[in-house]
Amino acid sequence: MLGFFKSTLLTRLAALLLLILGLRLPLLLGLPVTPAELHALLVGERIHAGAIPYRDLYDSMAPLVTVFLGLLDTIASRPVWLYRLLALTALVAQALRLNFVLNRSGVHPERGYLVALTYLLLGSITTDLDTLSPLLLGQTGVVYALSALLPTLREGYDNRRLFRAGFLIGTAALAFLPLALFLLVGLFAVIIFAANSFRSFLLLVCGFLFPYAVVATLCLYADALPGLNQFHLRPMLYGLAAAQEGLPRELLLKLLIVPGAVLVLSLLRTFTTPLGLVFQVKFQQLMLSWLMVALGILLLTRGTAPGSLVLLLPPAAYFSLFLWQKSPRPWLTNVLLLVLIGVVTTVRYRSLLHLEGVLRLPSEANYAVRPNPTYAKLQNQPLLVLGPDRSPYLQNQLVTPYLDWDLSQIDFGHLNEYAAVVRLTRNMASSLPRYIIDQTGLMPELQYKAPTVFGRYKPAGTPRLYQRK
């Protein structure tokens, strides 16, 4: 089986795509909505309705993803199916691009589709990567930046390629800010391969800063620049928003056992395999630095950001070339690949096979968003939830800026300050929700301190539910 994928014929590519589609599609559209998807749906809905990010929406999502979600909402209202198809497309694009770059650059004597095969197999072990997350989108920019760095490594200076590599890493950071750490991978490449390291690194940094300069300019004209710092940069830098809405750390660590085992076996085989070309040795060092940065981002985000597994896929796929290479016992590697396919399939479909208890792996669907039966009568209603639980928005509309409850504390957490009450009244007056769910018990104080807005609401007969009269 390995020999089949060690060819670059298009029939091998077609077989690879059929294998991955057969593995992923049966669960793709039947999964319940995850917290990350609900968050994305609400952001896209508000942007499509005309809200300006960081000015009319209290949320920490990165600028590039925010605008992208708004564009998707223009295609269809709350397009969960589109999110999942795009997530699959992004993962396949990353795998094929990395496979193409490694084949073209000659980083290993053997060529074929083994890199893409390993990338997509390991990426199919959990339905967490069926979700269109900011990290998954940003990783696409990082993978494409590698191809912009490689000609610099082999042929010397190319100002346009260095700038483009920095630009792609910058756009990746505009999707998920911790990905800015991959600038260190670019710095490492420049230091060990370029003759004028300082000048080359400045070009890389200029490319990285260019998309940020564009975003900052647009936010300045939209009067959203203070909000960009307050609602996006500061929460992400302090780690307050990077790890929200992902899988529990314990579950993620268990799901990482199989990719981690493949990576460890590949590294053991790598360090016992001599490479003939200096470029191949240096590229191996570059991928080791990539692995270190990926592990650093996992630690920074506490490993619970949606789609965290995708960080390990590029180095695991590259080092797997040494695991799958020719050996004195070729049958052993073929059996190992078949075992890997079987394990990935079993773990992915463990809930359908009723193996959750045996494997001690709860299904990712257990952490999906469930409608609250207390508010089942609310359907397609303009709503405000005073609290961190966003599940009532699953069947209703967000019409106020207050999406992220932690960030909303700038207003709701300072009701003893005149400026906060004025800001709250102004934000609410533009679009009053029909219902308010008071999860935190703030309504009596709000009705006392902002009666022009909250004085219009009366109890609706359901606990903690208020209706505008």
Side-chain angles (χ1 to χ4, degrees):
M1 187 172 183
L2 278 173
F4 180 81
F5 288 106
K6 287 183 178 180
S7 170
T8 56
L9 294 176
L10 291 179
T11 52
R12 275 54 173 177
L13 174 60
L16 169 63
L17 294 177
L18 288 175
L19 173 64
I20 297 304
L21 289 176
L23 183 61
R24 295 178 67 97
L25 282 183
L27 277 183
L28 190 65
L29 299 179
L31 297 171
V33 176
T34 66
E37 285 176 328
L38 177 60
H39 183 191
L41 292 170
L42 294 173
V43 169
E45 198 171 59
R46 288 295 297 148
I47 299 303
H48 183 204
I52 303 297
Y54 316 118
R55 190 193 72 184
D56 305 325
L57 187 63
Y58 287 30
D59 189 69
S60 62
M61 189 170 284
L64 193 61
V65 179
T66 298
V67 174
F68 181 64
L69 294 174
L71 292 175
L72 293 183
D73 200 74
T74 63
I75 298 174
S77 178
R78 299 200 172 187
V80 177
W81 60 272
L82 183 57
Y83 285 10
R84 293 178 179 170
L85 289 178
L86 287 175
L88 176 60
T89 301
L91 197 68
V92 171
Q94 292 172 25
L96 295 182
R97 182 62 179 179
L98 183 64
N99 193 94
F100 171 76
V101 170
L102 299 189
N103 281 347
R104 184 187 62 181
S105 304
V107 299
H108 191 272
E110 296 181 357
R111 289 172 172 80
Y113 289 102
L114 287 177
V115 169
L117 175 64
T118 306
Y119 199 107
L120 293 171
L121 274 180
L122 296 180
S124 300
I125 199 168
T126 172
T127 57
D128 190 38
L129 291 184
D130 292 341
T131 299
L132 187 67
S133 63
L135 178 51
L136 181 60
L137 288 173
Q139 178 82 347
T140 306
V142 174
V143 171
Y144 274 74
L146 179 63
S147 64
L149 283 172
L150 283 184
T152 302
L153 308 185
R154 303 190 68 182
E155 302 167 9
Y157 292 124
D158 187 334
N159 296 347
R160 292 170 299 176
R161 289 188 178 274
L162 277 173
F163 184 88
R164 188 173 72 183
F167 178 83
L168 288 170
I169 296 173
T171 55
L174 282 175
F176 188 71
L177 186 59
L179 291 177
L181 288 178
F182 276 100
L183 199 62
L184 297 175
V185 177
L187 172 61
F188 181 77
V190 166
I191 288 175
I192 64 175
F193 292 105
N196 190 337
S197 300
F198 182 71
R199 177 177 176 274
S200 300
F201 184 62
L202 283 182
L203 285 170
L204 198 68
V205 171
C206 287
F208 174 83
L209 293 177
F210 180 75
Y212 271 93
V214 173
V215 169
T217 302
L218 293 175
C219 288
L220 179 64
Y221 281 107
D223 194 25
L225 190 57
L228 175 66
N229 174 57
Q230 185 174 26
F231 297 140
H232 172 60
L233 295 177
R234 287 172 58 188
M236 294 296 288
L237 289 174
Y238 288 115
L240 300 177
Q244 292 181 354
E245 302 164 344
L247 295 175
R249 188 181 296 107
E250 295 77 14
L251 176 58
L252 179 66
L253 290 175
K254 291 179 181 179
L255 291 171
L256 285 176
I257 290 175
V258 174
V262 172
L263 180 58
V264 170
L265 289 175
S266 301
L267 287 172
L268 292 175
R269 191 78 188 276
T270 298
F271 295 140
T272 59
T273 302
L275 292 173
L277 300 178
V278 174
F279 171 74
Q280 293 175 346
V281 175
K282 292 188 174 182
F283 184 83
Q284 187 180 103
Q285 296 170 350
L286 180 66
M287 292 307 294
L288 284 172
S289 71
W290 186 308
L291 176 60
M292 293 299 103
V293 170
L295 292 174
I297 295 175
L298 281 174
L299 290 174
L300 179 66
T301 60
R302 302 184 292 278
T304 55
S308 292
L309 173 61
V310 78
L311 288 166
L312 298 178
L313 295 184
Y318 163 71
F319 289 114
S320 71
L321 284 172
F322 299 91
L323 180 63
W324 308 128
Q325 66 186 354
K326 290 181 180 178
S327 65
R329 299 174 181 175
W331 63 268
L332 188 59
T333 51
N334 279 282
V335 169
L336 183 59
L337 178 60
L338 291 175
V339 169
L340 178 60
I341 294 174
V343 169
V344 168
T345 305
T346 301
V347 173
R348 182 175 177 84
Y349 290 93
R350 62 191 181 278
S351 60
L352 294 180
L353 299 173
H354 306 290
L355 294 176
E356 295 174 86
V358 176
L359 299 175
R360 296 185 179 180
L361 278 175
S363 172
E364 294 92 336
N366 294 346
Y367 305 97
V369 180
R370 307 291 182 185
N372 191 330
T374 305
Y375 309 109
K377 69 175 184 179
L378 298 182
Q379 300 285 333
N380 299 317
Q381 297 292 336
L383 182 67
L384 169 63
V385 177
L386 300 178
D389 181 13
R390 297 173 183 163
S391 60
Y393 289 126
L394 186 62
Q395 298 171 322
N396 296 281
Q397 305 167 11
L398 172 70
V399 294
T400 69
Y402 302 108
L403 173 56
D404 189 309
W405 182 245
D406 290 334
L407 297 180
S408 299
Q409 293 309 297
I410 188 176
D411 292 344
F412 290 104
H414 297 83
L415 294 178
N416 57 340
E417 299 176 10
Y418 180 75
V421 175
V422 171
R423 196 163 50 241
L424 179 62
T425 302
R426 184 179 64 246
N427 289 337
M428 290 287 296
S430 59
S431 182
L432 284 175
R434 183 171 179 79
Y435 291 93
I436 294 178
I437 296 176
D438 182 19
Q439 298 175 354
T440 55
L442 280 176
M443 275 300 286
E445 185 177 3
L446 289 169
Q447 290 178 326
Y448 175 72
K449 294 183 176 179
T452 57
V453 172
F454 293 96
R456 305 180 186 184
Y457 292 87
K458 299 297 181 184
T462 302
R464 297 185 178 274
L465 180 65
Y466 293 81
Q467 183 178 6
R468 191 178 76 231
K469 59 182 180 180

